[in-house]
Amino acid sequence: MIINRKIYFAHIPRTAGRFIKNTLIKNNHDTKSYFYNTYYKEKEVPHLTYPEYEQFLNYMPLKNFAVIREPVDRFISMIKHNWTFNEEKINKMFKSQEDFNQTINGEILETPSNWFVPQINFINYDTKLWRFEDGFETKWIEWMINNFNIKINKFAEKEKDYAINNTSLNKQKIQYIKNYYYKDYKLLNY
């Protein structure tokens, strides 16, 4: 999403992107959003990774930011809200680290959404990062003003949770997730 013709929001899936978009619109900021049926290199434009979003935007000189989220928490949100992850697929995925890696790699290669792509693939060296865990209240408002001169006076309503499935994770399953997303942990300091 382009904001006020000078800022790009790199939307990492399951990191409050719709809330941010709706909040910016509610505060009358000039936003240009792309629909999920718009594709570039066979991927949905709203969730393009770096450098694809720069190519798509023809290398416009834009400041950019992204919201990052603790990888296990983000992963749980991804499988809870993904209709392709039924109980059978989840159980098969968690049989071993190899099964986990194959399942997630398959999702990344076969679907246009980029949901399961590691967060580090969405950012570049000058992307400003906000942590999902820090919330979207006073500190976030100050951060948006200080970094982008974007004023927030009102918030969009939070969307109702539409979880499709639930799964419980034991230590072994959590370790599979951490192993797969190890670069997110290392480079994003989680």
Side-chain angles (χ1 to χ4, degrees):
M1 170 178 32
I2 299 173
I3 308 156
N4 299 335
R5 297 186 181 112
K6 58 186 178 179
I7 302 154
Y8 181 73
F9 171 52
H11 181 188
I12 300 170
R14 307 309 306 161
T15 61
R18 284 186 307 273
F19 170 77
I20 290 169
K21 178 182 89 170
N22 293 337
T23 295
L24 292 169
I25 290 168
K26 190 168 188 162
N27 285 272
N28 299 313
H29 289 285
D30 179 15
T31 61
K32 180 172 182 175
S33 299
Y34 297 94
F35 295 102
Y36 290 100
N37 62 354
T38 306
Y39 298 92
Y40 178 74
K41 294 187 177 183
E42 299 180 15
K43 294 295 183 179
E44 294 174 344
V45 170
H47 295 147
L48 286 177
T49 57
Y50 174 81
E52 282 77 23
Y53 60 76
E54 285 195 339
Q55 295 165 357
F56 176 77
L57 298 170
N58 203 24
Y59 299 98
M60 292 170 60
L62 301 170
K63 291 182 178 182
N64 68 69
F65 74 96
V67 176
I68 56 174
R69 186 174 183 177
E70 194 284 324
V72 169
D73 188 45
R74 177 177 172 249
F75 185 83
I76 291 168
S77 181
M78 287 187 290
I79 60 173
K80 282 175 69 173
H81 297 92
N82 189 317
W83 61 271
T84 66
F85 275 79
N86 58 29
E87 189 175 336
E88 180 182 345
K89 185 173 183 175
I90 292 169
N91 289 336
K92 183 179 178 196
M93 170 179 65
F94 280 116
K95 284 187 178 181
S96 69
Q97 184 72 58
E98 184 178 342
D99 288 325
F100 183 86
N101 294 354
Q102 286 179 351
T103 301
I104 300 309
N105 289 340
E107 286 294 314
I108 291 170
L109 291 172
E110 296 168 13
T111 64
S113 68
N114 280 337
W115 267 38
F116 292 91
V117 172
Q119 296 173 88
I120 199 70
N121 294 30
F122 290 85
I123 61 178
N124 66 29
Y125 66 93
D126 65 354
T127 303
K128 301 260 188 229
L129 301 176
W130 180 259
R131 291 184 181 273
F132 180 93
E133 299 80 19
D134 291 339
F136 299 93
E137 294 164 0
T138 305
K139 285 184 181 181
W140 180 67
I141 292 170
E142 291 171 5
W143 186 81
M144 292 294 283
I145 290 170
N146 292 337
N147 287 287
F148 306 105
N149 199 29
I150 293 177
K151 294 181 177 113
I152 306 290
N153 297 314
K154 344 174 214 191
F155 290 107
E157 289 186 32
K158 292 185 180 174
E159 294 183 7
K160 187 176 181 181
D161 189 5
Y162 59 94
I164 295 166
N165 56 57
N166 290 308
T167 189
S168 59
L169 298 179
N170 59 29
K171 286 182 182 181
Q172 184 65 57
K173 292 175 181 178
I174 290 171
Q175 193 59 53
Y176 293 158
I177 299 166
K178 288 182 174 184
N179 291 344
Y180 188 88
Y181 293 102
Y182 74 96
K183 286 183 182 177
D184 284 352
Y185 280 97
K186 184 175 181 172
L187 299 173
L188 300 176
N189 296 318
Y190 275 106

